[in-house]
């Protein structure tokens, strides 16, 4: 079974600075998708960024970018120019691309605090 | 796109009672998922529908849990004989085929069993 590990339960960053959240995963599949979701306090989970495993190029979405290392099974999220609104729980998630189980598998999350 | 709607937002029930939650997915999405999230944890998969067919159930989903999606539209999740360990946030999400585009989540139903 696939597993997702987020080794940083909590992180903090100063406003306008850059922070990187770590995620590793375990799978025997060669094709899959990876996601980062943001869950603000008492609000719904929203998709931040997605990566297709067969694409070498790292995904970027405005201030959010990923460092995808397929061989190392690592998928970190970099937030540049951090803003107060970035404070939230961040979850890394995995989805297999073919056959098998069709569901997202989540890590335990990283709580990000943004200090003014 | 009105998003994924879940009702109720909060539910407090006494141990042993039955509860039912409702999820209305995005209308164009044929896939619907239920997850459970406890404090400090990531969402855990419970079950998944493609249209009206329930295609997968987690081992977490004991016999006290049942989910339906009649006519492939809204879905209900029922918990019978609730236990304190059932206290959690129950999240519903929907997506469209094919895979890889992520899910749209609802705001969840927070269940407290007293």
């Amino acid at each position: 079974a696939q597993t997702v590990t987020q080794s940083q339960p909590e992180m903090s960053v100063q406003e306008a600075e850059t922070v990187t959240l770590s995620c590793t995963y375990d799978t025997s599949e060669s094709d899959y998708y990876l996601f980062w979701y943001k869950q603000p306090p008492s609000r719904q989970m929203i998709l931040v960024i997605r990566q297709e495993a067969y694409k070498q190029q790292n995904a970027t979405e405005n201030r959010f970018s990923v460092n995808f290392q397929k061989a190392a099974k690592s998928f970190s999220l970099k937030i540049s120019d951090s803003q107060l609104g970035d404070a939230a729980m961040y979850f890394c998630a995995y989805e297999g691309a073919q056959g098998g189980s069709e569901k997202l598998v989540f890590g335990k999350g990283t709580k990000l605090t943004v200090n003014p | 796109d009105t998003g994924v709607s879940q009702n109720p937002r909060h539910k407090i029930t006494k141990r042993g009672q039955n509860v039912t939650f409702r999820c209305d997915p995005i209308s164009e999405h044929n896939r619907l998922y239920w997850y459970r999230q406890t404090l400090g944890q990531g969402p855990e998969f419970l079950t998944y529908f493609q249209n009206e067919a329930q295609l997968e159930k987690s081992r977490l989903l004991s016999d006290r849990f049942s989910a339906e999606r009649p006519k492939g539209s809204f879905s209900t999740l029922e918990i019978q004989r609730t236990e304190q360990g059932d206290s959690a946030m129950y999240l519903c999400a929907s997506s469209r085929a094919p895979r890889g585009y992520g899910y749209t989540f609802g705001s969840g139903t927070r269940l407290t069993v007293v």
Side-chain angles (χ1 to χ4, degrees):
Chain A
Q2 292 79 20
T3 59
V4 177
T5 301
Q6 294 180 249
S7 59
Q8 306 154 315
E10 296 187 26
M11 291 283 285
S12 64
V13 63
Q14 291 296 125
E15 196 175 4
E17 296 294 307
T18 296
V19 65
T20 298
L21 308 184
S22 301
C23 172
T24 58
Y25 58 93
D26 187 26
T27 184
S28 58
E29 297 176 316
S30 59
D31 198 12
Y32 47 87
Y33 304 95
L34 296 165
F35 306 87
W36 279 97
Y37 278 85
K38 171 185 178 181
Q39 188 177 40
S42 301
R43 294 180 62 185
Q44 69 193 91
M45 195 170 303
I46 58 174
L47 178 63
V48 174
I49 198 166
R50 61 184 285 271
Q51 174 79 40
E52 298 168 7
Y54 62 86
K55 287 189 175 179
Q56 301 259 352
Q57 187 172 6
N58 289 323
T60 62
E61 287 287 343
N62 301 314
R63 298 182 295 107
F64 297 87
S65 62
V66 299
N67 183 3
F68 173 48
Q69 301 288 328
K70 190 172 185 179
K73 297 181 181 176
S74 171
F75 182 61
S76 60
L77 174 70
K78 185 171 80 171
I79 306 174
S80 304
D81 186 24
S82 296
Q83 301 176 359
L84 295 178
D86 294 333
M89 285 292 294
Y90 285 82
F91 294 97
C92 179
Y94 170 101
E95 181 182 33
Q98 297 173 355
S101 180
E102 294 190 34
K103 63 177 180 283
L104 286 179
V105 177
F106 287 87
K108 291 188 175 183
T110 296
K111 181 179 180 181
L112 179 65
T113 301
V114 181
N115 300 310
Chain B
D1 182 352
T2 56
V4 177
S5 176
Q6 289 190 248
N7 288 288
R9 292 292 305 274
H10 303 273
K11 178 71 176 178
I12 299 174
T13 190
K14 291 183 178 180
R15 190 172 52 187
Q17 296 295 304
N18 299 342
V19 294
T20 300
F21 311 140
R22 176 176 171 130
C23 172
D24 289 89
I26 293 172
S27 56
E28 311 89 75
H29 288 181
N30 63 339
R31 299 178 180 187
L32 187 148
Y33 302 81
W34 285 99
Y35 281 78
R36 181 170 67 187
Q37 186 179 22
T38 53
L39 198 62
Q41 301 293 316
E44 296 176 297
F45 171 78
L46 293 179
T47 190
Y48 148 61
F49 292 85
Q50 182 162 317
N51 300 313
E52 66 275 11
Q54 188 174 20
L55 297 186
E56 186 174 350
K57 291 172 58 174
S58 166
R59 285 171 292 176
L60 292 174
L61 216 64
S62 74
D63 292 343
R64 296 184 298 106
F65 288 70
S66 62
E68 294 182 343
R69 192 184 183 196
K71 303 179 182 178
S73 56
F74 71 92
S75 176
T76 58
L77 178 68
E78 181 184 17
I79 308 174
Q80 296 181 328
R81 305 181 302 282
T82 52
E83 303 172 355
Q84 286 191 321
D86 297 331
S87 295
M89 176 75 83
Y90 290 84
L91 299 172
C92 177
S94 68
S95 73
R96 59 181 176 89
R99 306 186 200 189
Y101 290 91
Y103 303 169
T104 301
F105 281 85
S107 297
T109 294
R110 181 166 295 283
L111 173 67
T112 302
V113 181
V114 297

